[in-house]
Amino acid sequence: MSENTPRRFWVALYGAAAGLFALMDWSARSLQSFRGEWGLAVGALVLAAVLILDRTVFAGSWRESIRALGLGAPRAAGMIAASAIGALLIATLPLAALASGTTLSLRADWPWLVPGLLAQAGVAEEVLFRGLVFGRIRHGRPFWRAVALSLPPFALAHAVLLLSMTLPLALASLALSIVITPALCRLYELGGRTIWAPALLHAVVQGALKVADLSGGDATLLPLLWIGACALLPYLAFLWRSSENAAAA
């Protein structure tokens, strides 16, 4: 796809992203899946909707859609990078708790929440924003230009946080959605242009505090420290070298 892409492509792509995010947000709210309680259902619904839409609007076959959306087998480099960065992020939580005077403990139901968070915060968001939006834009464009063109839908989708969070946390989370986009796109590339590596890290970023109980201390400071760590550490992905220099193209 060249830079002479017709306007109808952008209307279809950005319109699809808006509609699919609305579906994801509606289903999560309807099922009260705020910590991934019904994340497997939300993830399955969004994945099916993205596949059907991509096949109908952009692809010539189901096989092409599956490949284009990044649903194939990932390369090891991406998964290793995402796992290492995710582990490093989690390791910062005790330090953030100490700095904020907060007591941090795992919720009793955390084993049941993790799969839902992986599906909802990880797979559902990444198949939409990295698989569909970035993946379709990336074809025929340099990495950084594709990142810039894919960023507005991801940032605008996260503007809904202004309706459900305190203003400082909402603004910090919105800024994080912008700042973290290049790193998630880099993981997509490292993983062989598949969604699984960014999905894993995205689930950690969104889900780590959702499987924890916080008590005492500053209720705002710890999440802000977490957002700060999530804005910085994912850029370690740019230190990894893949077997193919795809991200430099």
Side-chain angles (χ1 to χ4, degrees):
M1 189 178 296
S2 70
E3 291 300 330
N4 297 320
T5 306
R7 180 178 297 179
R8 63 178 178 272
F9 168 82
W10 298 107
V11 172
L13 185 65
Y14 287 166
L20 289 164
F21 183 80
L23 173 66
M24 179 165 55
D25 186 64
W26 168 82
S27 60
R29 291 179 185 276
S30 297
L31 293 170
Q32 305 256 312
S33 185
F34 302 118
R35 294 177 182 264
E37 296 92 337
W38 290 92
L40 292 175
V42 174
L45 174 65
V46 173
L47 180 59
V50 172
L51 266 170
I52 292 169
L53 187 143
D54 186 82
R55 168 64 180 85
T56 303
V57 178
F58 299 109
S61 67
W62 291 109
R63 178 174 293 183
E64 181 187 342
S65 273
I66 290 170
R67 179 192 57 77
L69 291 172
L71 297 174
R75 289 204 183 103
M79 298 306 294
I80 292 170
S83 299
I85 295 168
L88 188 58
L89 278 172
I90 292 171
T92 69
L93 276 174
L95 298 176
L98 182 63
S100 62
T102 304
T103 300
L104 191 68
S105 59
L106 280 172
R107 291 171 56 93
D109 59 349
W110 74 266
W112 309 106
L113 298 177
V114 168
L117 286 166
L118 284 169
Q120 182 176 326
V123 173
E125 288 209 32
E126 288 304 310
V127 75
L128 172 53
F129 293 112
R130 242 56 60 192
L132 177 64
V133 178
F134 179 73
R136 286 294 174 188
I137 293 173
R138 177 69 166 100
H139 185 62
R141 291 183 178 82
F143 175 78
W144 286 105
R145 179 158 178 76
V147 169
L149 290 170
S150 71
L151 198 155
F154 190 55
L156 288 173
H158 286 77
V160 299
L161 297 172
L162 293 168
L163 303 176
S164 60
M165 288 182 170
T166 62
L167 187 59
L169 280 178
L171 291 175
S173 298
L174 180 58
L176 175 62
S177 72
I178 296 170
V179 171
I180 201 174
T181 292
L184 292 173
C185 291
R186 171 60 176 165
L187 287 171
Y188 169 89
E189 302 267 318
L190 278 175
R193 298 192 181 181
T194 62
I195 68 164
W196 308 114
L200 176 59
L201 185 62
H202 201 151
V204 171
V205 169
Q206 275 204 33
L209 292 183
K210 293 181 178 180
V211 299
D213 282 324
L214 312 179
S215 60
D218 190 325
T220 301
L221 181 55
L222 188 145
L224 286 175
L225 291 172
W226 174 250
I227 289 170
C230 292
L232 296 173
L233 294 180
Y235 278 84
L236 293 172
F238 285 92
L239 299 179
W240 260 265
R241 292 286 180 264
S242 58
S243 58
E244 294 182 11
N245 199 22

